Structures are given as C-alpha cells and as structure tokens.
C-alpha cells in the first residue's frame, strides 16, 4: 500500500537521515518485515530505530536486526513489539551483562519457552545488574555466578539465602525479594 511505503520512507528519512537508494532499500525491507510479523510499517520503523540507537547499530545493521526479530518472533510467543520494547528498555542491563542483541533475543526466547513471565524476569535482571554493580567490577561474571548458584540449590529457600561468590550478597540481595 502506497501510504505504508510513504510513511516508512518518511520515517526512515526523519529518524535516520537516509535518502536515495538506501532509504528505498530499507523501506522495502521494513515493509516485508511488517508483513511477516503483522506489525505496522511506520511503528516498526520507530521500534527498529529505537533499538538501533540503544544498541549503537548503524542503518546498515537494520536488515540483520529485522531478520533476528523475525526469527525470534517465529520461535516464541513474544510479539515483535514486546521484544523491541524489552531490547530498548533493558538495553543498558543487557549490555552490562555483555549480551549482544542476538544474545538478548535468545534469552527472551528461553524465558518465553520456559513459561517465565518475561516482564518480571526483566525487572529482576535490572535489579540484579544494579545490585551487582555496587558489589563488583565483573557484573557479567557475578550474574552468571548467581544463576549457577541458583541452579546448584535443592530448593527455593536454599537458593535465596545462598551467597553469590565473594560479592557479600545473597541471591535474594541480588534479585530482590520477589525473586
């Protein structure tokens, strides 16, 4: 539809400053992406640009981002809007843990497949990064250690009171009381 094409081109030009063949190619990719994922083309541009800016991606990375989101959307129950929202609002935490966009999407898929409430997990991750940042310079290592500590416990009570390495924090201190 011509209004979708015009809207995508205008939004890409406004948000990224791309013109000519670059905007034409990107707009075509966005239209295909929105058709495959059932999303609005102009809203998709907004979401994709927001993710790109938070993750320091270039316009040339948008095609890969759309491919990754389409694949993730087909692999789990999360909508593309939910995934782009989580990638945007939790970019600082994901990056503090050393995750790439692809890693973050894989993590979201595993949460969705495991039946976890992804929104609650994201809040716990945000709290964990903040709490671990106060205790160590190796936040990714301490986060993984916290996950490994939980996995090694026999029950929830033991897991919550277990100490996470040499951080001086328990799992409950790291993830919060709602963990």
């Amino acid at each position: 539809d011509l209004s979708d094409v015009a809207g995508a081109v205008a939004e890409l030009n406004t948000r990224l400053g791309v013109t000519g063949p670059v905007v034409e190619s990107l707009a075509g990719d966005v239209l295909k992406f929105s058709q495959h994922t059932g999303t609005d083309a102009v809203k998709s541009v907004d979401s994709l640009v927001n993710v790109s800016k938070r993750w320091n991606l270039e316009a040339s990375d948008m095609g890969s981002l759309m491919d990754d989101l389409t694949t993730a959307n087909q692999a789990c129950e999360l909508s593309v809007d939910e995934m782009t929202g989580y990638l945007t609002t939790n970019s600082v935490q994901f990056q503090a843990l050393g995750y790439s966009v692809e890693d973050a999407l894989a993590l979201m898929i595993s949460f969705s497949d495991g039946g976890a409430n992804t929104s609650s997990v994201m809040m716990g991750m945000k709290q964990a990064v903040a709490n671990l940042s106060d205790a160590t310079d190796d936040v990714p290592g301490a986060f993984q250690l916290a996950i490994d500590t939980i996995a090694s416990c026999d029950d929830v009570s033991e897991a919550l009171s277990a100490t996470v390495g040499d951080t001086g924090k328990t799992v409950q201190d790291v993830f919060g009381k709602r963990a």
Side-chain angles (χ1 to χ4, degrees):
D1 159 322
L2 280 178
S3 65
D4 286 342
V5 173
V9 167
E11 197 65 21
L12 286 164
N13 176 264
T14 301
R15 299 286 308 272
L16 297 176
V18 292
T19 59
V22 173
V23 76
E24 289 173 21
S25 176
L26 268 177
D29 291 345
V30 168
L31 290 172
K32 288 178 197 165
F33 171 75
S34 65
Q35 288 171 344
H36 287 301
T37 59
T39 57
D40 176 79
V42 174
K43 288 181 183 176
S44 291
V45 171
D46 284 339
S47 297
L48 293 164
V49 170
N50 288 341
V51 170
S52 295
K53 288 186 176 191
R54 292 293 211 132
W55 289 82
N56 299 313
L57 303 175
E58 301 294 325
S60 59
D61 298 319
M62 295 269 283
S64 295
L65 176 59
M66 287 184 275
D67 289 345
D68 291 340
L69 285 164
T70 300
T71 301
N73 179 246
Q74 293 167 347
C76 72
E77 296 294 319
L78 295 174
S79 71
V80 168
D81 291 337
E82 289 171 312
M83 287 185 280
T84 56
Y86 290 137
L87 286 171
T88 301
T89 59
N90 296 288
S91 62
V92 170
Q93 291 76 29
F94 281 128
Q95 292 171 41
L97 294 172
Y99 290 179
S100 65
V101 170
E102 296 83 5
D103 295 335
L105 286 169
L107 188 65
M108 284 188 263
I109 291 169
S110 70
F111 294 152
S112 176
D113 286 351
N117 178 324
T118 305
S119 180
S120 294
V121 173
M122 292 294 131
M123 286 188 297
M125 184 179 71
K126 187 178 284 192
Q127 186 168 358
V129 168
N131 290 336
L132 289 171
S133 294
D134 293 340
T136 182
D137 291 333
D138 182 16
V139 174
F143 185 81
Q144 186 59 53
L145 186 57
I147 299 299
D148 294 344
T149 299
I150 293 167
S152 70
C153 293
D154 293 328
D155 60 45
V156 173
S157 179
E158 179 186 354
L160 289 174
S161 62
T163 302
V164 179
D166 61 359
T167 64
K169 295 187 179 282
T170 65
V171 168
Q172 184 171 337
D173 294 336
V174 171
F175 289 101
K177 293 182 182 190
R178 298 180 77 185

